[in-house]
Amino acid sequence: MAAARTEKAASGVPAGQAAKAKFKEAARVTVALAGNPNVGKSCIFNNLTGARQHVGNWPGVTVEKKEGQMLYAGEAVRVVDLPGVYGLGAFSEDEIIARDYILAGEADVIINIVDATNLERNLYLTVELLEMGANLVVALNLMDEAAGRGLKIDVPKLGALLGVPVVPTVAPKKQGMEELVAAALKRAREGSPQPLAVPYGREVEAELARLETALAAYAAAVAGLPRRWVAVKLLEGDELVRRRFERYPALLKLVEESAARLAALTGEDAAALVAEGRYGFIAGLVRETVSRQKTAAEKLTLSDKIDQVVTHRLLGIPIFLGAMWLLFKFTFALGGPLVGYTEAFFEWLGGRAAAIPNPVLASLVKDGIIGGVGSVLVFIPPIFLLFLGLSFLEDSGYMARAAYVMDRLMHALGLHGKSFIPLLIGFGCNVPAIMATRTLENRRDRLITLLVAPLMSCAARLPVYVLFAGAFFGARQGLVVFSLYLLGIILAVLMGMLFKVTLFKGEQAPFVMELPPYRLPTFKGTLIHMWERGAAFVKKAGTVIFGVVVLVWLLSNVPWGAPVEQSVIARLGHLLAPIYAPCGFGHWEAAVALFFGILAKEAVVGTLGTVYGVEEAGLQAAVQHHFTPLAAYAFMALTLLYIPCVATIGAIRREAGWGWAAFATAYTLALGWLVACLIFQVGRLLGLG
């Protein structure tokens, strides 16, 4: 896009917090992006600001509001990306964030992104925004897909009927961005329009008129909001609006009387009548502005045909498992040879470090930094390849199908199917998985998902898997790593069931899973998503892991000059080692590796590299000397399950409080130890080790 550019690219404003604060202060216009989940909000946000916010082809990618900046025709503009919501009912955390921001009136104009292929559902939020008097511009996105489905939309007529500008866009191709920004800024200068008055029918309108008249006496509580909108929300029982009038029981009594009269007259409750009125209005809009070449029944889209196979009742789960197995085969088949090259590089680097004249400094660089951080960084190739495969599956729309397929299984087990989406996100990192639980409306479902999300194999565990699977399982290493990912999913489901019948008894909330259309991922987009995740891994290796391995090196050399078996770290390891003896790895090196792995799971490999005092190429031989194949598998299972890393614990604490963070820490430690013991002891009984 030529006119809407990033702050840095357009003006040369230096990056950094101070510059961002200055820009924010200078920005005279604030534009908020609002819309249903998975309609392209994040993509438009990135187009406008030049940011690289994650864009996924599934709902719930944005769970908190994000801010960016752009310059347009010399004008500084703040852009706020709100979480995707279906309406302003404020049932879940992300809906509350979006609604509170809109109600606060901070935005000069709201760009409401609407999926042109699904107008009926998307326009519900549009109508709610217009009813509350929001200053709106509608971005009619995915127009190319709508045309592909035979939909012809009369855009000028739709804008005229809604009373707001409507701009056709194709966000992935950056089409319509210029026109969208121009329309939004023009709208911001013009000010707010009159609120939309949806015709709700004679009976409802009569009650709304009574309530509007009564609200004239409560100006302070109405607080500048359209009286008709407040009356509608009170009538449909909106909890947040009702709280504004808790001090006015007389008004709430009038509301209840109105609702009772409507129920007596129509046989339906007021909320249903209001929703029916909105959908009726939307149906009329669509009828007036949209024509179809063929009906949906007459024409199956390509997405429909693929879904008939991949979401099949019997084939869906085997296809999902097959896709994941192929992903790991791809990762290790291509990543294995590349690991050899990186090992050779760090071996060469270690040789150079050994030549440093100062022996202490040489030991720190060679044994501590290169032996520790290098042990983690050699696994960059398989990690990036895994992220490349996951990004392709996500962007294509398949991962949403995986959640849909698993939804059936989880419902059969009494769990909420929507919970599987945060669990899938946990394959990359557990921290965003914890944050993604905000999309769950029911607090019980949210807490259960939040507690089991750390059981998913995040990227930080992958170096441990690659090291041990490569050392002990040769050509079957891909299958072994696949089994660990599967173990995490199975235990997450089982623990969810246990929590559901013990700690969180109650009915599960109804759930409708949205299936986005399949899209061919762009090469650039897939590479960007791979880099977003991989860069976080590299950054952590250069910060947290670096700090941990230097600490481990220091502790392994104190008292100075003594053999490592007599060092402080060895004493700590000997203290902890008996705990892990029943799991098959009761030696001090494994114990301290697991101990420092609490800080970050990658530190397990880094610590082993440091305490064994070997370079990357020698680490596999070192673990082969200390572990049996059975003990190695038990060790990987424990690494998967025991205490989440400190960043994940912190995320749980932020979302649910210290109590649940402590509970997650305790139960995962017990579960990890128990599963590792079972694997080793049962394996020994079966003669496997």
Side-chain angles (χ1 to χ4, degrees):
M1 181 182 173
R5 295 168 294 182
T6 64
E7 170 191 357
K8 186 174 180 181
S11 63
V13 176
Q17 293 301 318
K20 289 178 181 175
K22 276 186 182 177
F23 193 95
K24 186 174 178 180
E25 192 178 328
R28 290 184 299 169
V29 178
T30 299
V31 176
L33 306 181
N36 288 183
N38 203 39
V39 295
K41 271 189 317 85
S42 298
C43 190
I44 288 182
F45 178 79
N46 291 345
N47 289 345
L48 298 186
T49 65
R52 289 182 176 177
Q53 188 180 331
H54 183 71
V55 179
N57 188 16
W58 58 354
V61 169
T62 307
V63 293
E64 58 182 352
K65 71 181 165 70
K66 303 278 177 58
E67 289 194 24
Q69 304 91 31
M70 67 173 177
L71 282 177
Y72 182 81
E75 187 167 5
V77 181
R78 256 178 90 209
V79 184
V80 179
D81 185 16
L82 298 173
V85 294
Y86 292 103
L88 299 177
F91 295 112
S92 61
E93 190 75 20
D94 47 349
E95 286 179 343
I96 291 171
I97 291 171
R99 173 170 157 155
D100 285 353
Y101 183 85
I102 293 168
L103 281 177
E106 290 184 34
D108 298 292
V109 61
I110 295 172
I111 295 178
N112 174 212
I113 295 103
V114 168
D115 182 350
T117 67
N118 196 349
L119 274 182
E120 290 90 341
R121 190 197 65 191
N122 280 245
L123 285 177
Y124 194 88
L125 174 63
T126 308
V127 168
E128 282 202 288
L129 288 167
L130 290 172
E131 279 187 295
M132 66 186 286
N135 196 17
L136 210 67
V137 170
V138 173
L140 203 55
N141 199 28
L142 304 176
M143 285 294 283
D144 54 343
E145 291 188 17
R149 296 184 184 192
L151 296 174
K152 188 176 179 183
I153 302 173
D154 187 338
V155 177
K157 191 172 185 181
L158 180 62
L161 291 172
L162 288 172
V164 295
V166 177
V167 181
T169 62
V170 182
K173 298 176 182 174
K174 299 185 178 180
Q175 293 176 3
M177 298 297 107
E178 183 87 29
E179 296 81 359
L180 183 62
V181 174
L185 296 186
K186 182 171 182 287
R187 193 72 177 176
R189 288 190 289 272
E190 291 173 350
S192 299
Q194 284 295 314
L196 176 70
V198 173
Y200 286 107
R202 187 162 52 88
E203 293 85 1
V204 176
E205 289 292 341
E207 298 304 330
L208 288 176
R210 286 192 186 94
L211 293 177
E212 277 189 77
T213 303
L215 283 168
Y218 303 93
V222 172
L225 292 168
R227 283 217 301 265
R228 179 182 171 86
W229 180 79
V230 175
V232 170
K233 299 309 281 184
L234 284 171
L235 198 56
E236 63 178 341
D238 186 292
E239 278 300 318
L240 292 182
V241 175
R242 282 180 67 89
R243 281 181 208 158
R244 286 171 172 257
F245 297 91
E246 281 178 342
R247 292 180 298 161
Y248 309 111
L251 179 73
L252 294 181
K253 187 179 177 188
L254 281 179
V255 174
E256 288 168 8
E257 289 172 355
S258 289
R261 271 193 296 273
L262 286 172
L265 280 171
T266 65
E268 294 186 57
D269 65 43
L273 290 169
V274 169
E276 188 178 280
R278 287 198 189 109
Y279 279 119
F281 177 74
I282 292 166
L285 280 175
V286 173
R287 196 165 47 245
E288 290 291 329
T289 57
V290 181
S291 58
R292 303 171 190 269
Q293 292 179 344
K294 291 183 179 179
T295 66
E298 291 169 334
K299 183 179 179 182
L300 278 179
T301 65
L302 180 62
S303 286
D304 296 332
K305 292 173 184 172
I306 297 173
D307 280 342
Q308 285 181 340
V309 178
V310 300
T311 63
H312 189 272
R313 188 167 58 89
L314 299 177
L315 297 177
I317 290 180
I319 288 174
F320 168 64
L321 295 177
M324 297 306 292
W325 179 78
L326 283 174
L327 176 62
F328 291 115
K329 285 293 286 182
F330 160 78
T331 298
F332 291 104
L334 289 184
L338 296 176
V339 167
Y341 292 121
T342 53
E343 279 180 345
F345 169 72
F346 282 107
E347 194 173 351
W348 170 82
L349 206 59
R352 304 285 292 181
I356 296 175
N358 185 313
V360 177
L361 187 59
S363 173
L364 171 63
V365 175
K366 179 176 177 290
D367 303 327
I369 297 173
I370 297 177
V373 178
S375 301
V376 177
L377 290 180
V378 294
F379 299 110
I380 281 179
I383 286 174
F384 272 69
L385 286 169
L386 178 66
F387 287 152
L388 182 70
L390 282 174
S391 298
F392 181 85
L393 291 175
E394 282 183 18
D395 295 352
S396 69
Y398 176 72
M399 290 307 258
R401 270 74 183 178
Y404 173 79
V405 166
M406 294 302 293
D407 170 55
R408 291 182 186 148
L409 174 64
M410 297 183 82
H411 266 283
L413 297 173
L415 296 175
H416 197 298
K418 200 173 181 180
S419 301
F420 198 66
I421 294 174
L423 299 186
L424 284 175
I425 294 173
F427 282 152
C429 177
N430 289 161
V431 173
I434 299 296
M435 293 175 65
T437 61
R438 293 177 181 179
T439 59
L440 298 169
E441 295 85 355
N442 185 295
R443 178 169 169 76
R444 284 192 299 266
D445 290 323
R446 189 177 176 212
L447 283 173
I448 291 174
T449 309
L450 187 143
L451 290 173
V452 302
L455 302 180
M456 305 305 286
S457 278
C458 67
R461 277 104 160 177
L462 198 56
V464 184
Y465 300 164
V466 175
L467 171 65
F468 281 85
F472 292 97
F473 300 103
R476 293 191 293 274
Q477 58 180 305
L479 187 62
V480 167
V481 175
F482 170 67
S483 73
L484 289 163
Y485 275 71
L486 199 58
L487 177 66
I489 295 172
I490 292 170
L491 286 173
V493 171
L494 293 177
M495 293 309 298
M497 286 175 63
L498 181 64
F499 293 148
K500 192 81 176 181
V501 298
T502 54
L503 300 177
F504 305 102
K505 294 179 180 176
E507 293 295 321
Q508 63 191 75
F511 165 56
V512 177
M513 181 74 213
E514 180 192 354
L515 294 182
Y518 288 100
R519 290 170 191 150
L520 184 64
T522 64
F523 183 68
K524 182 182 174 184
T526 305
L527 285 182
I528 287 175
H529 297 157
M530 177 194 72
W531 173 250
E532 286 171 346
R533 290 170 161 165
F537 173 81
V538 175
K539 183 180 176 184
K540 196 193 282 188
T543 53
V544 178
I545 310 303
F546 178 85
V548 171
V549 296
V550 170
L551 177 64
V552 170
W553 174 84
L554 186 65
L555 294 177
S556 64
N557 282 283
V558 176
W560 189 254
V564 67
E565 288 77 12
Q566 297 174 16
S567 64
V568 171
I569 201 168
R571 290 178 201 167
L572 173 65
H574 285 300
L575 191 67
L576 297 173
I579 299 172
Y580 302 112
C583 307
F585 41 85
H587 36 89
W588 72 267
E589 295 92 342
V592 293
L594 291 169
F595 178 79
F596 286 102
I598 297 171
L599 297 176
K601 299 295 182 187
E602 302 96 324
V604 171
V605 172
T607 303
L608 287 175
T610 304
V611 297
Y612 285 144
V614 294
E615 294 172 0
E616 297 65 42
L619 193 51
Q620 282 199 353
V623 297
Q624 284 171 337
H625 179 70
H626 288 83
F627 290 80
T628 64
L630 184 60
Y633 193 83
F635 185 81
M636 288 189 285
L638 183 62
T639 305
L640 160 66
L641 302 171
Y642 85 119
I643 307 178
C645 68
V646 290
T648 304
I649 295 172
I652 297 174
R653 197 270 308 164
R654 283 196 303 274
E655 299 297 322
W658 277 114
W660 289 115
F663 177 77
T665 303
Y667 103 79
T668 52
L669 178 61
L671 179 67
W673 185 87
L674 183 63
V675 170
C677 278
L678 281 173
I679 289 171
F680 183 72
Q681 298 299 339
V682 173
R684 276 212 314 176
L685 288 175
L686 296 175
L688 299 177

